[in-house]
Amino acid sequence: MKRLVLLCLCLAVGMQLGKAQISTPPGGANQKSIVTQYIGAIAHVSIKYNSPDVTAPNGADRTGKIWGQLVPYGLNQQNFGLNNPAPWRAGANENTIIKFSHDMLVQGQPIKAGKYGLHIVVEENGPWTIIFSKNHGAWGSYFYDEAEDALRVQATPEQSAFHEWLTYEFIDRQPDHAVAAMRWENIKLPFKIEVANINDLYVSTIKKELQGAPGFTWTNWNAAANYCLQNDTHLEQGLAWADASISTPFIGIENYTTLATKAQILAKLQKTDEAMATMDKAVHHNTATVFQIHGYGRQLIAQGQKEAAMKIFEYNTERFGEVWPTHVGMARGYSALGKYDKALKHAEIAHGQAPDQLNKDNLVQVIEKLKAEQDIN
């Protein structure tokens, strides 16, 4: 009995070991490749493929014989698998796989997060068809079934610098989208991948992050509020985060930074009186530095509020005295008001107080402009 059990066990192990494979070079020397591109800091796209080259395994040069020959135009009759006409596998050997970390748009059309088999219908003239199949585990296009299509889009091929190896790369990268491109021989096929409503993605992610360790510091609440402020999105949520950065028990801190963030969000929400009161509190807060107040004055000049900016520069001088940043501020304030002679006096004093050569050189240019009665802002 024991011998029979041992024999069965050995047979079972042998069968399992027989399924294991050793690592050998890829068929046709088509190297495996993968490229991943983030769109912003959260969403990303990966393309995994086998990369054939223009030179055949036997050394023959196939330049001019790739498109329409090695890769047929239209659908190609398969003699294996489903035995149906099928598109190109968009690479070599196994399925070319594209993976989206989040719901996205491809060429303006929506596609759900997940993995897809990538196929292409190559045409002699006109746009090509890119197919995203729900079946990403099959070998090449032998088992391609149109019923499993998740999405089809059109893309226009372009002439390109010669590429020996088929390559996928990202040729444009922006905060909310990227352009992927298949390059091989003298053809480039670009297609746009976009994260729709990317601000929603960031805000929902930040919400979750603030529930964990990042939520135990006021700087992260303020950074969250600033994201809404700088991107002009979800402003009510941003205001709530700004309040949290100021007043959350044991975490929030009232200082120039948190108050200024809140004031700017209030201004965007058209709550003008509350915004002005909050910013006034920030400027007069004991944490406000000479540089922060100076920066606020410059912000007012950029907004066209020249008189208000001058008052801020005067307050900065009153609070911090005759120091380099305050004289620079006074020069900018008077320049904005067109009082170039007074601005010049402060610029010359600031030049003598400047802490390093870079600032001295910058002030030399400022002085030259003021002597020519040109605004320095």
Side-chain angles (χ1 to χ4, degrees):
M1 183 64 180
K2 290 182 177 179
R3 290 180 179 178
L4 179 60
V5 172
L6 180 60
L7 177 60
C8 291
L9 179 61
C10 288
L11 288 172
V13 171
M15 291 174 66
Q16 291 298 318
L17 291 176
K19 295 179 181 178
Q21 296 181 353
I22 62 173
S23 296
T24 57
N30 300 312
Q31 303 285 357
K32 291 185 176 181
S33 302
I34 187 168
V35 60
T36 299
Q37 179 60 48
Y38 272 76
I39 301 176
I42 302 171
H44 54 276
V45 182
S46 296
I47 304 175
K48 185 178 181 181
Y49 61 103
N50 287 269
S51 177
D53 57 335
V54 174
T55 303
N58 64 4
D61 183 4
R62 298 184 290 192
T63 301
K65 301 176 182 179
I66 299 297
W67 309 111
Q69 296 186 44
L70 181 63
V71 179
Y73 293 129
L75 300 180
N76 184 35
Q77 178 62 47
Q78 305 297 306
N79 297 315
F80 179 72
L82 298 181
N83 294 304
N84 290 328
W88 176 46
R89 70 189 77 181
N93 298 352
E94 301 100 326
N95 231 329
T96 296
I97 299 174
I98 186 167
K99 180 180 179 182
F100 302 96
S101 65
H102 295 75
D103 294 353
M104 297 189 189
L105 303 174
V106 180
Q107 297 289 80
Q109 300 299 314
I111 191 165
K112 292 291 185 182
K115 290 183 180 180
Y116 299 90
L118 185 64
H119 306 270
I120 299 175
V121 180
V122 177
E123 303 289 356
E124 185 173 6
N125 298 297
W128 293 4
T129 301
I130 304 175
I131 302 171
F132 301 85
S133 172
K134 297 174 185 176
N135 182 358
H136 62 80
W139 182 278
S141 294
Y142 293 118
F143 295 89
Y144 169 76
D145 184 347
E146 184 176 344
E148 296 177 320
D149 286 1
L151 177 66
R152 284 185 170 216
V153 297
Q154 301 289 301
T156 302
E158 303 172 4
Q159 290 295 308
S160 172
F162 182 83
H163 270 62
E164 172 71 19
W165 298 93
L166 183 148
T167 303
Y168 285 90
E169 58 185 81
F170 289 85
I171 59 175
D172 186 24
R173 307 170 190 181
Q174 301 298 327
D176 64 348
H177 73 269
V179 175
M182 183 281 297
R183 294 180 185 266
W184 195 20
E185 199 210 33
N186 57 2
I187 288 293
K188 172 178 68 176
L189 184 68
F191 54 100
K192 183 178 179 180
I193 302 172
E194 181 180 4
V195 181
N197 303 315
I198 196 166
N199 288 328
D200 292 345
L201 174 60
Y202 275 107
V203 169
S204 64
T205 300
I206 291 170
K207 279 183 181 179
K208 294 176 182 177
E209 290 174 342
L210 289 174
Q211 294 172 12
F216 286 89
T217 173
W218 68 267
T219 54
N220 283 327
W221 291 93
N222 183 72
N226 256 310
Y227 175 81
C228 297
L229 172 64
Q230 298 303 322
N231 292 278
D232 199 16
T233 185
H234 298 76
L235 293 176
E236 291 290 354
Q237 177 63 77
L239 181 59
W241 284 337
D243 281 329
S245 74
I246 295 171
S247 57
T248 298
F250 310 112
I251 297 172
I253 293 179
E254 181 183 282
N255 57 26
Y256 177 88
T257 299
T258 54
L259 290 168
T261 299
K262 179 179 179 178
Q264 291 175 81
I265 294 176
L266 287 167
K268 283 202 170 184
L269 288 169
Q270 305 299 313
K271 299 180 180 181
T272 306
D273 292 342
E274 191 177 351
M276 291 177 61
T278 304
M279 196 65 219
D280 185 68
K281 187 176 183 180
V283 168
H284 291 86
H285 200 275
N286 59 14
T287 60
T289 68
V290 65
F291 293 104
Q292 287 173 324
I293 297 172
H294 176 82
Y296 177 52
R298 293 199 64 179
Q299 179 183 327
L300 290 172
I301 289 177
Q303 295 171 355
Q305 301 182 51
K306 301 175 183 180
E307 291 78 10
M310 191 70 231
K311 290 180 179 179
I312 290 296
F313 291 133
E314 288 172 342
Y315 166 71
N316 211 16
T317 302
E318 177 185 336
R319 178 167 171 177
F320 291 99
E322 302 284 324
V323 294
W324 165 62
T326 62
H327 281 293
V328 174
M330 293 296 289
R332 291 193 177 279
Y334 278 127
S335 176
L337 296 173
K339 299 179 179 181
Y340 299 115
D341 54 340
K342 291 185 177 181
L344 177 60
K345 292 179 181 178
H346 285 283
E348 289 173 339
I349 295 173
H351 178 265
Q353 296 175 328
D356 52 54
Q357 192 59 47
L358 177 61
N359 279 291
K360 284 184 179 295
D361 292 342
N362 288 338
L363 282 164
V364 167
Q365 298 177 28
V366 166
I367 290 169
E368 289 175 355
K369 280 189 173 182
L370 290 173
K371 286 181 177 179
E373 295 190 347
Q374 296 175 2
D375 187 15
I376 61 174
N377 295 292

PDB file of all heavy atoms in Angstrom, residues 3 16 46 88 99 105 121 123 137 142 148 153 158 164 170 178 199 205 239 246 287-288 344 346:
ATOM      1  N   ARG A   3       3.884   1.480  -1.038  1.00  0.00           N
ATOM      2  CA  ARG A   3       4.571   1.615  -2.323  1.00  0.00           C
ATOM      3  C   ARG A   3       3.652   2.238  -3.369  1.00  0.00           C
ATOM      4  O   ARG A   3       4.069   3.036  -4.209  1.00  0.00           O
ATOM      5  CB  ARG A   3       5.051   0.241  -2.803  1.00  0.00           C
ATOM      6  CG  ARG A   3       6.204  -0.325  -1.963  1.00  0.00           C
ATOM      7  CD  ARG A   3       6.626  -1.672  -2.497  1.00  0.00           C
ATOM      8  NE  ARG A   3       7.737  -2.214  -1.712  1.00  0.00           N
ATOM      9  CZ  ARG A   3       8.285  -3.416  -1.933  1.00  0.00           C
ATOM     10  NH1 ARG A   3       7.800  -4.173  -2.917  1.00  0.00           N
ATOM     11  NH2 ARG A   3       9.273  -3.828  -1.184  1.00  0.00           N
ATOM     12  N   GLN A  16       3.604  17.529 -12.836  1.00  0.00           N
ATOM     13  CA  GLN A  16       3.716  18.959 -12.582  1.00  0.00           C
ATOM     14  C   GLN A  16       5.046  19.503 -13.069  1.00  0.00           C
ATOM     15  O   GLN A  16       5.129  20.570 -13.679  1.00  0.00           O
ATOM     16  CB  GLN A  16       3.536  19.261 -11.087  1.00  0.00           C
ATOM     17  CG  GLN A  16       2.127  19.019 -10.587  1.00  0.00           C
ATOM     18  CD  GLN A  16       1.122  19.916 -11.286  1.00  0.00           C
ATOM     19  OE1 GLN A  16       1.367  21.091 -11.498  1.00  0.00           O
ATOM     20  NE2 GLN A  16      -0.016  19.323 -11.663  1.00  0.00           N
ATOM     21  N   SER A  46       0.584  51.157 -19.307  1.00  0.00           N
ATOM     22  CA  SER A  46       1.707  50.275 -19.629  1.00  0.00           C
ATOM     23  C   SER A  46       1.405  49.527 -20.911  1.00  0.00           C
ATOM     24  O   SER A  46       0.265  49.101 -21.138  1.00  0.00           O
ATOM     25  CB  SER A  46       1.956  49.267 -18.499  1.00  0.00           C
ATOM     26  OG  SER A  46       2.353  49.905 -17.315  1.00  0.00           O
ATOM     27  N   TRP A  88      -3.651  42.613 -37.125  1.00  0.00           N
ATOM     28  CA  TRP A  88      -2.258  42.406 -36.691  1.00  0.00           C
ATOM     29  C   TRP A  88      -2.184  42.455 -35.179  1.00  0.00           C
ATOM     30  O   TRP A  88      -2.870  43.239 -34.524  1.00  0.00           O
ATOM     31  CB  TRP A  88      -1.398  43.495 -37.336  1.00  0.00           C
ATOM     32  CG  TRP A  88       0.048  43.499 -36.942  1.00  0.00           C
ATOM     33  CD1 TRP A  88       0.885  42.424 -36.868  1.00  0.00           C
ATOM     34  CD2 TRP A  88       0.841  44.635 -36.605  1.00  0.00           C
ATOM     35  NE1 TRP A  88       2.151  42.821 -36.498  1.00  0.00           N
ATOM     36  CE2 TRP A  88       2.151  44.184 -36.329  1.00  0.00           C
ATOM     37  CE3 TRP A  88       0.570  46.001 -36.509  1.00  0.00           C
ATOM     38  CZ2 TRP A  88       3.177  45.044 -35.960  1.00  0.00           C
ATOM     39  CZ3 TRP A  88       1.592  46.858 -36.157  1.00  0.00           C
ATOM     40  CH2 TRP A  88       2.885  46.381 -35.882  1.00  0.00           C
ATOM     41  N   LYS A  99      -2.325  48.246 -20.566  1.00  0.00           N
ATOM     42  CA  LYS A  99      -2.989  48.270 -19.263  1.00  0.00           C
ATOM     43  C   LYS A  99      -3.225  49.710 -18.831  1.00  0.00           C
ATOM     44  O   LYS A  99      -2.296  50.524 -18.831  1.00  0.00           O
ATOM     45  CB  LYS A  99      -2.151  47.546 -18.210  1.00  0.00           C
ATOM     46  CG  LYS A  99      -2.776  47.524 -16.831  1.00  0.00           C
ATOM     47  CD  LYS A  99      -1.872  46.785 -15.834  1.00  0.00           C
ATOM     48  CE  LYS A  99      -2.479  46.785 -14.432  1.00  0.00           C
ATOM     49  NZ  LYS A  99      -1.587  46.099 -13.454  1.00  0.00           N
ATOM     50  N   LEU A 105      -9.591  57.950 -21.621  1.00  0.00           N
ATOM     51  CA  LEU A 105     -10.080  58.172 -22.974  1.00  0.00           C
ATOM     52  C   LEU A 105      -8.941  57.854 -23.936  1.00  0.00           C
ATOM     53  O   LEU A 105      -7.804  58.262 -23.711  1.00  0.00           O
ATOM     54  CB  LEU A 105     -10.522  59.616 -23.187  1.00  0.00           C
ATOM     55  CG  LEU A 105     -11.608  60.180 -22.261  1.00  0.00           C
ATOM     56  CD1 LEU A 105     -11.804  61.666 -22.545  1.00  0.00           C
ATOM     57  CD2 LEU A 105     -12.913  59.427 -22.446  1.00  0.00           C
ATOM     58  N   VAL A 121      -5.502  47.209 -37.270  1.00  0.00           N
ATOM     59  CA  VAL A 121      -5.827  46.947 -38.671  1.00  0.00           C
ATOM     60  C   VAL A 121      -5.072  47.965 -39.509  1.00  0.00           C
ATOM     61  O   VAL A 121      -5.374  49.165 -39.471  1.00  0.00           O
ATOM     62  CB  VAL A 121      -7.344  47.038 -38.935  1.00  0.00           C
ATOM     63  CG1 VAL A 121      -7.630  46.749 -40.407  1.00  0.00           C
ATOM     64  CG2 VAL A 121      -8.108  46.066 -38.044  1.00  0.00           C
ATOM     65  N   GLU A 123      -3.887  49.800 -42.872  1.00  0.00           N
ATOM     66  CA  GLU A 123      -4.493  50.121 -44.167  1.00  0.00           C
ATOM     67  C   GLU A 123      -3.454  50.739 -45.087  1.00  0.00           C
ATOM     68  O   GLU A 123      -2.541  51.441 -44.638  1.00  0.00           O
ATOM     69  CB  GLU A 123      -5.665  51.084 -43.994  1.00  0.00           C
ATOM     70  CG  GLU A 123      -6.764  50.593 -43.064  1.00  0.00           C
ATOM     71  CD  GLU A 123      -7.579  49.445 -43.647  1.00  0.00           C
ATOM     72  OE1 GLU A 123      -7.336  49.070 -44.823  1.00  0.00           O
ATOM     73  OE2 GLU A 123      -8.451  48.914 -42.932  1.00  0.00           O
ATOM     74  N   GLY A 137      -5.120  37.485 -23.035  1.00  0.00           N
ATOM     75  CA  GLY A 137      -4.247  36.362 -22.700  1.00  0.00           C
ATOM     76  C   GLY A 137      -3.980  35.405 -23.837  1.00  0.00           C
ATOM     77  O   GLY A 137      -3.218  34.452 -23.678  1.00  0.00           O
ATOM     78  N   TYR A 142      -4.454  34.957 -33.195  1.00  0.00           N
ATOM     79  CA  TYR A 142      -5.064  33.707 -33.668  1.00  0.00           C
ATOM     80  C   TYR A 142      -6.457  33.490 -33.095  1.00  0.00           C
ATOM     81  O   TYR A 142      -7.306  32.864 -33.724  1.00  0.00           O
ATOM     82  CB  TYR A 142      -4.174  32.520 -33.319  1.00  0.00           C
ATOM     83  CG  TYR A 142      -2.856  32.505 -34.057  1.00  0.00           C
ATOM     84  CD1 TYR A 142      -1.647  32.590 -33.369  1.00  0.00           C
ATOM     85  CD2 TYR A 142      -2.823  32.416 -35.451  1.00  0.00           C
ATOM     86  CE1 TYR A 142      -0.442  32.578 -34.036  1.00  0.00           C
ATOM     87  CE2 TYR A 142      -1.612  32.411 -36.138  1.00  0.00           C
ATOM     88  CZ  TYR A 142      -0.416  32.494 -35.426  1.00  0.00           C
ATOM     89  OH  TYR A 142       0.778  32.494 -36.098  1.00  0.00           O
ATOM     90  N   GLU A 148     -15.348  40.357 -28.687  1.00  0.00           N
ATOM     91  CA  GLU A 148     -14.649  40.675 -27.442  1.00  0.00           C
ATOM     92  C   GLU A 148     -14.040  42.069 -27.468  1.00  0.00           C
ATOM     93  O   GLU A 148     -13.324  42.460 -26.543  1.00  0.00           O
ATOM     94  CB  GLU A 148     -13.562  39.630 -27.168  1.00  0.00           C
ATOM     95  CG  GLU A 148     -14.120  38.240 -26.932  1.00  0.00           C
ATOM     96  CD  GLU A 148     -13.032  37.193 -26.745  1.00  0.00           C
ATOM     97  OE1 GLU A 148     -12.011  37.240 -27.464  1.00  0.00           O
ATOM     98  OE2 GLU A 148     -13.224  36.306 -25.877  1.00  0.00           O
ATOM     99  N   VAL A 153     -10.763  52.512 -32.195  1.00  0.00           N
ATOM    100  CA  VAL A 153     -10.560  53.924 -32.518  1.00  0.00           C
ATOM    101  C   VAL A 153      -9.744  54.028 -33.798  1.00  0.00           C
ATOM    102  O   VAL A 153      -9.062  53.083 -34.202  1.00  0.00           O
ATOM    103  CB  VAL A 153      -9.834  54.674 -31.371  1.00  0.00           C
ATOM    104  CG1 VAL A 153     -10.672  54.662 -30.104  1.00  0.00           C
ATOM    105  CG2 VAL A 153      -8.451  54.093 -31.111  1.00  0.00           C
ATOM    106  N   GLU A 158       1.906  58.201 -39.673  1.00  0.00           N
ATOM    107  CA  GLU A 158       2.740  59.282 -40.177  1.00  0.00           C
ATOM    108  C   GLU A 158       4.108  58.728 -40.574  1.00  0.00           C
ATOM    109  O   GLU A 158       4.557  57.717 -40.045  1.00  0.00           O
ATOM    110  CB  GLU A 158       2.926  60.360 -39.099  1.00  0.00           C
ATOM    111  CG  GLU A 158       1.627  60.951 -38.574  1.00  0.00           C
ATOM    112  CD  GLU A 158       1.859  61.870 -37.381  1.00  0.00           C
ATOM    113  OE1 GLU A 158       3.040  62.103 -37.029  1.00  0.00           O
ATOM    114  OE2 GLU A 158       0.869  62.352 -36.805  1.00  0.00           O
ATOM    115  N   GLU A 164      14.635  50.478 -36.481  1.00  0.00           N
ATOM    116  CA  GLU A 164      14.921  49.069 -36.737  1.00  0.00           C
ATOM    117  C   GLU A 164      14.004  48.162 -35.939  1.00  0.00           C
ATOM    118  O   GLU A 164      13.450  47.199 -36.450  1.00  0.00           O
ATOM    119  CB  GLU A 164      16.387  48.770 -36.384  1.00  0.00           C
ATOM    120  CG  GLU A 164      16.763  47.293 -36.427  1.00  0.00           C
ATOM    121  CD  GLU A 164      16.811  46.712 -37.833  1.00  0.00           C
ATOM    122  OE1 GLU A 164      16.907  47.503 -38.801  1.00  0.00           O
ATOM    123  OE2 GLU A 164      16.747  45.471 -37.961  1.00  0.00           O
ATOM    124  N   PHE A 170       6.144  57.161 -25.616  1.00  0.00           N
ATOM    125  CA  PHE A 170       5.213  58.266 -25.368  1.00  0.00           C
ATOM    126  C   PHE A 170       5.883  59.547 -25.831  1.00  0.00           C
ATOM    127  O   PHE A 170       6.896  59.978 -25.278  1.00  0.00           O
ATOM    128  CB  PHE A 170       4.829  58.312 -23.896  1.00  0.00           C
ATOM    129  CG  PHE A 170       3.923  57.178 -23.498  1.00  0.00           C
ATOM    130  CD1 PHE A 170       4.453  55.942 -23.144  1.00  0.00           C
ATOM    131  CD2 PHE A 170       2.551  57.323 -23.520  1.00  0.00           C
ATOM    132  CE1 PHE A 170       3.632  54.881 -22.813  1.00  0.00           C
ATOM    133  CE2 PHE A 170       1.712  56.275 -23.184  1.00  0.00           C
ATOM    134  CZ  PHE A 170       2.255  55.041 -22.827  1.00  0.00           C
ATOM    135  N   ALA A 178      -1.316  61.942 -22.458  1.00  0.00           N
ATOM    136  CA  ALA A 178      -0.060  61.592 -23.109  1.00  0.00           C
ATOM    137  C   ALA A 178      -0.391  61.057 -24.494  1.00  0.00           C
ATOM    138  O   ALA A 178      -1.509  60.602 -24.748  1.00  0.00           O
ATOM    139  CB  ALA A 178       0.695  60.545 -22.292  1.00  0.00           C
ATOM    140  N   ASN A 199      -8.967  66.290 -12.301  1.00  0.00           N
ATOM    141  CA  ASN A 199      -9.084  66.940 -10.995  1.00  0.00           C
ATOM    142  C   ASN A 199      -9.931  66.106 -10.037  1.00  0.00           C
ATOM    143  O   ASN A 199      -9.655  66.057  -8.838  1.00  0.00           O
ATOM    144  CB  ASN A 199      -9.685  68.341 -11.152  1.00  0.00           C
ATOM    145  CG  ASN A 199      -8.708  69.321 -11.779  1.00  0.00           C
ATOM    146  OD1 ASN A 199      -7.508  69.216 -11.579  1.00  0.00           O
ATOM    147  ND2 ASN A 199      -9.223  70.262 -12.544  1.00  0.00           N
ATOM    148  N   THR A 205      -8.431  61.006  -4.547  1.00  0.00           N
ATOM    149  CA  THR A 205      -7.227  60.355  -3.998  1.00  0.00           C
ATOM    150  C   THR A 205      -6.742  61.083  -2.754  1.00  0.00           C
ATOM    151  O   THR A 205      -6.388  60.463  -1.742  1.00  0.00           O
ATOM    152  CB  THR A 205      -6.114  60.327  -5.060  1.00  0.00           C
ATOM    153  OG1 THR A 205      -6.569  59.591  -6.197  1.00  0.00           O
ATOM    154  CG2 THR A 205      -4.856  59.675  -4.509  1.00  0.00           C
ATOM    155  N   LEU A 239     -11.834  74.878   0.442  1.00  0.00           N
ATOM    156  CA  LEU A 239     -12.072  75.739   1.605  1.00  0.00           C
ATOM    157  C   LEU A 239     -12.176  74.905   2.877  1.00  0.00           C
ATOM    158  O   LEU A 239     -11.647  75.291   3.926  1.00  0.00           O
ATOM    159  CB  LEU A 239     -13.341  76.552   1.391  1.00  0.00           C
ATOM    160  CG  LEU A 239     -13.717  77.533   2.509  1.00  0.00           C
ATOM    161  CD1 LEU A 239     -12.605  78.551   2.726  1.00  0.00           C
ATOM    162  CD2 LEU A 239     -15.036  78.232   2.170  1.00  0.00           C
ATOM    163  N   ILE A 246      -6.144  74.952   9.535  1.00  0.00           N
ATOM    164  CA  ILE A 246      -6.060  76.009  10.551  1.00  0.00           C
ATOM    165  C   ILE A 246      -6.558  75.537  11.906  1.00  0.00           C
ATOM    166  O   ILE A 246      -5.934  75.794  12.943  1.00  0.00           O
ATOM    167  CB  ILE A 246      -6.875  77.239  10.097  1.00  0.00           C
ATOM    168  CG1 ILE A 246      -6.250  77.866   8.848  1.00  0.00           C
ATOM    169  CG2 ILE A 246      -6.959  78.286  11.223  1.00  0.00           C
ATOM    170  CD1 ILE A 246      -7.113  78.940   8.204  1.00  0.00           C
ATOM    171  N   THR A 287       3.477  85.311  12.491  1.00  0.00           N
ATOM    172  CA  THR A 287       4.321  84.383  11.736  1.00  0.00           C
ATOM    173  C   THR A 287       4.696  84.923  10.358  1.00  0.00           C
ATOM    174  O   THR A 287       5.551  84.349   9.680  1.00  0.00           O
ATOM    175  CB  THR A 287       3.594  83.044  11.527  1.00  0.00           C
ATOM    176  OG1 THR A 287       2.374  83.272  10.794  1.00  0.00           O
ATOM    177  CG2 THR A 287       3.272  82.375  12.860  1.00  0.00           C
ATOM    178  N   ALA A 288       4.064  86.007   9.921  1.00  0.00           N
ATOM    179  CA  ALA A 288       4.323  86.548   8.583  1.00  0.00           C
ATOM    180  C   ALA A 288       5.752  87.072   8.502  1.00  0.00           C
ATOM    181  O   ALA A 288       6.194  87.849   9.350  1.00  0.00           O
ATOM    182  CB  ALA A 288       3.330  87.653   8.257  1.00  0.00           C
ATOM    183  N   LEU A 344      13.676 104.927  -7.539  1.00  0.00           N
ATOM    184  CA  LEU A 344      15.117 104.834  -7.776  1.00  0.00           C
ATOM    185  C   LEU A 344      15.899 104.941  -6.475  1.00  0.00           C
ATOM    186  O   LEU A 344      16.863 104.195  -6.257  1.00  0.00           O
ATOM    187  CB  LEU A 344      15.544 105.929  -8.752  1.00  0.00           C
ATOM    188  CG  LEU A 344      17.036 106.022  -9.065  1.00  0.00           C
ATOM    189  CD1 LEU A 344      17.531 104.723  -9.673  1.00  0.00           C
ATOM    190  CD2 LEU A 344      17.310 107.195 -10.012  1.00  0.00           C
ATOM    191  N   HIS A 346      15.026 104.048  -3.434  1.00  0.00           N
ATOM    192  CA  HIS A 346      14.922 102.798  -2.679  1.00  0.00           C
ATOM    193  C   HIS A 346      15.697 101.670  -3.367  1.00  0.00           C
ATOM    194  O   HIS A 346      16.304 100.820  -2.696  1.00  0.00           O
ATOM    195  CB  HIS A 346      13.450 102.406  -2.518  1.00  0.00           C
ATOM    196  CG  HIS A 346      12.727 103.239  -1.511  1.00  0.00           C
ATOM    197  ND1 HIS A 346      12.865 103.056  -0.147  1.00  0.00           N
ATOM    198  CD2 HIS A 346      11.852 104.267  -1.669  1.00  0.00           C
ATOM    199  CE1 HIS A 346      12.104 103.926   0.496  1.00  0.00           C
ATOM    200  NE2 HIS A 346      11.474 104.683  -0.410  1.00  0.00           N
TER     201      HIS A 346
END
